[in-house]
């Protein structure tokens, strides 16, 4: 399974979780089957508008099935849902801890947007 985690920096499993999906500087793409991690730069983070939708397309193109983030805005939520990407809220401070919490079934699945678009 491929999991995307919003990340503030590029430090592997020790990367700090970013609390905002669309404007997150990086996404940690974790393949739980192979225990591999790849951090990719979010090219949509500096977009003047539509960052959430563009970020949703970016992680969808990576084959992601699950997103772990602090918040997801309404347009991003719709785009992720239409791509069959399940969203979970994490309050963990590192990517590694967030993935561990997900694997241990400790996170709540998002059933509606919980963020507001950021300018």
């Amino acid at each position: 399974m491929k999991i995307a985690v919003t990340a503030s920096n590029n430090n592997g499993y020790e990367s700090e979780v970013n609390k905002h999906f669309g404007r997150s500087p990086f996404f940690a793409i974790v393949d739980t089957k192979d225990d591999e991690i790849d951090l990719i730069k979010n090219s949509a983070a500096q977009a003047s508008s539509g960052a959430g939708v563009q970020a949703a397309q970016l992680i969808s193109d990576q084959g992601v099935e699950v997103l772990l983030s602090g918040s997801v805005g309404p347009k991003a939520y719709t785009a992720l849902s239409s791509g069959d990407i399940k969203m979970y809220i994490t309050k963990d401070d590192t990517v590694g801890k967030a993935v561990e919490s997900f694997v241990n079934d400790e996170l709540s699945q998002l059933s509606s947007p919980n963020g507001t678009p950021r300018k």
Side-chain angles (χ1 to χ4, degrees), residues 10-89:
N10 186 354
N11 292 329
Y13 285 107
E14 294 302 314
S15 298
E16 180 182 336
V17 173
N18 189 283
K19 303 302 180 199
H20 305 283
F21 171 67
R23 301 284 178 187
S24 178
F26 295 93
F27 293 112
I29 310 297
V30 178
D31 187 333
T32 59
K33 185 175 76 170
D34 299 328
D35 195 30
E36 293 180 0
I37 185 170
D38 185 28
L39 273 98
I40 60 171
K41 191 168 179 72
N42 178 10
S43 55
Q46 300 302 320
S48 58
S49 65
V53 173
Q54 292 175 50
Q57 184 63 54
L58 177 66
I59 67 167
S60 179
D61 290 347
Q62 298 292 318
V64 166
E65 300 166 67
V66 169
L67 168 69
L68 308 181
S69 182
S71 65
V72 178
K75 291 179 182 176
Y77 180 88
T78 300
L80 291 162
S81 294
S82 68
D84 292 324
I85 297 174
K86 293 177 175 56
M87 295 157 270
Y88 292 82
I89 298 307

